[in-house]
Amino acid sequence: PPARDIELKSGNMFYVIRDVADLQLKAGDYVEQLQQTKTELQHAVDLQDHEKLQQTASQLQKQLTGFNQALTAINLKTQEISDIRSNILSANEQVLASPFLNGQVDLSKVDLKKIEQQMVSIQSEMVKLAGMLIQSSSSDRNETSQS
């Protein structure tokens, strides 16, 4: 079997917390930027502003590509967080594959709903991450309070 440099573990809270923190640290900024860009995108479509739309499209493309590189570069230790990373990467890829980001700037065909859904799915993965932190710290507290 090919040697894997790291065996992904499941359930070790220390590693989960570390992975979550790492992912949030390196990915959190991108999520904020994407929110901002999504708003600008909506605005450009509302104004039917082709130039703004093109600028926003290339901005979105750069952000998503950077986001993917940041995500891929993180050395994760746990399966749970690795799965979340895969979900975010695939949501990013779907946005990147949209005709809108590949030169088709026909305003009538820009599928904002679809982009919106991908963004929501990226965000819900980030929320899941935060949830894992809260879960892990509260289960630590429960164990100490019961003794």
Side-chain angles (χ1 to χ4, degrees):
R4 289 180 55 197
D5 54 337
I6 184 143
E7 194 53 50
L8 289 176
K9 296 172 190 60
S10 213
N12 182 324
M13 271 313 155
F14 171 74
Y15 287 124
V16 169
I17 291 170
R18 211 212 63 165
D19 280 357
V20 170
D22 220 15
L23 203 58
Q24 283 182 325
L25 187 71
K26 298 192 171 77
D29 288 349
Y30 283 103
V31 176
E32 276 173 48
Q33 287 173 20
L34 289 169
Q35 266 314 100
Q36 183 60 43
T37 305
K38 194 185 76 180
T39 307
E40 288 170 27
L41 196 61
Q42 183 66 63
H43 198 58
V45 170
D46 293 344
L47 295 173
Q48 297 286 299
D49 183 339
H50 278 268
E51 203 173 305
K52 177 91 177 119
L53 200 60
Q54 265 170 321
Q55 287 169 352
T56 314
S58 73
Q59 192 178 335
L60 188 59
Q61 200 165 20
K62 280 194 198 91
Q63 287 169 350
L64 286 168
T65 306
F67 193 10
N68 282 353
Q69 287 165 346
L71 286 169
T72 312
I74 303 170
N75 182 7
L76 296 175
K77 300 243 187 286
T78 58
Q79 189 59 57
E80 296 92 328
I81 310 304
S82 190
D83 291 345
I84 287 178
R85 171 173 61 185
S86 299
N87 295 344
I88 296 174
L89 282 167
S90 91
N92 288 355
E93 287 305 328
Q94 284 175 336
V95 178
L96 281 167
S98 68
F100 168 61
L101 288 187
N102 293 288
Q104 184 196 46
V105 195
D106 177 348
L107 277 167
S108 64
K109 292 200 178 86
V110 174
D111 192 350
L112 276 182
K113 272 285 155 274
K114 195 160 193 222
I115 292 174
E116 173 83 41
Q117 283 167 345
Q118 301 308 336
M119 298 292 206
V120 166
S121 114
I122 292 168
Q123 276 190 301
S124 72
E125 292 301 321
M126 294 303 281
V127 169
K128 253 191 243 173
L129 269 185
M132 288 185 125
L133 270 188
I134 294 163
Q135 218 178 355
S136 58
S137 61
S138 73
S139 71
D140 288 350
R141 267 198 300 280
N142 289 346
E143 284 162 28
T144 47
S145 66
Q146 284 167 356
S147 52

